[in-house]
Amino acid sequence: MKQYLDLMRHIRENGTFKGDRTGTGTYSVFAHQMRFNLADGFPLLTTKKVHLKSIIHELLWFLSGDTNVKYLQDHGVSIWNEWATAEQCARFGRAEGELGAVYGHQWRNFGATQNADGSFQSDGFDQIKTLIHDIKHNPNSRRLIVTGWNPAEANQVALPPCHTLFQFYVAPSTGSGQAGKLSYQLYQRSADVFLGVPFNIASYALLTMMIAQVCDLGLGDFVWTGGDCHLYSNHLEQTDLQLSREPLPLPTMRLNPDVKDIFAFKFEDFTLENYQSHAAIKAPVAV
């Protein structure tokens, strides 16, 4: 994960101090890209322990189209709690725990009709189903895209999608019975580099693996592209501690090979092997 540490170091050395929505203040740079060859191992940070359980359950939650935090909380995942309080939800006329037009909605029900109470009808566009169909039936397409950004709904939620768009690319087979390779690029408009980005890298690398499996493809590269890449001003000591640590070898992620439907994966279908990491580093979340 040298790529990630290089980004942290770049911000520490070159970041511009800016105010931000939360009032915390950040040091930021604009536009940065990292590339991970998924054949080299699963890109889970080793210079601090990362909570994989939260990553997997959040991704399954996104794919289900759910927008209420109950599923996460029932599985011991608290990463969305700060945006699901009664106070936060009341700002948008929703019951506590209901987040509105966040990732699951945009991925599975994009552009759906909104009801007077802020809920949505099931008449939107299912981007994930379409993506899987197109990868299988038109792998040369340059339209293998899912967007999480709907300008009409961005101001209707406490936290509009930060990872706003992703695109897949299928490299054809080179023969000898080998499968083609699936690569993936994510564009993230806002990147909390210390807390959020390690989760985002692992989550979308995992999504690439899942889609490759259900589409009978091999693994290529995961490319992460960030817009506003920032370290919060109260994460600097934690950042310096992490930068003082030596990376360890990447682990291996195994998926249950029997799962061939992207919506059929369960938490038990993922096995992480040989994960070694330094101790976790706590830091406050800016809300």
Side-chain angles (χ1 to χ4, degrees), residues 43-54:
L44 188 65
L45 199 63
T46 62
T47 45
K48 69 175 182 181
K49 187 173 181 62
V50 179
H51 196 231
L52 182 65
K53 174 184 174 181
S54 294

Side-chain angles (χ1 to χ4, degrees), residues 36 38 41-44 51-63 107 132 166 168 182 184 186 198-214 219-223 252-256 262 265-273:
F36 303 90
L38 296 178
F42 185 63
L44 188 65
H51 196 231
L52 182 65
K53 174 184 174 181
S54 294
I55 293 169
I56 294 174
H57 276 302
E58 182 192 51
L59 180 56
L60 295 176
W61 180 63
F62 289 165
L63 286 167
W107 289 12
I132 299 297
F166 51 88
F168 284 91
L182 185 70
Y184 173 92
L186 169 71
F199 268 63
N200 305 142
I201 293 171
S203 178
Y204 283 96
L206 187 58
L207 179 62
T208 307
M209 296 177 68
M210 294 161 68
I211 291 179
Q213 176 165 301
V214 303
L219 293 173
D221 291 342
F222 167 57
V223 181
T252 299
M253 176 64 76
R254 306 286 184 196
L255 275 58
N256 178 354
I262 192 65
F265 280 99
K266 303 183 299 295
F267 181 80
E268 296 75 18
D269 293 320
F270 306 93
T271 304
L272 185 69
E273 299 176 348

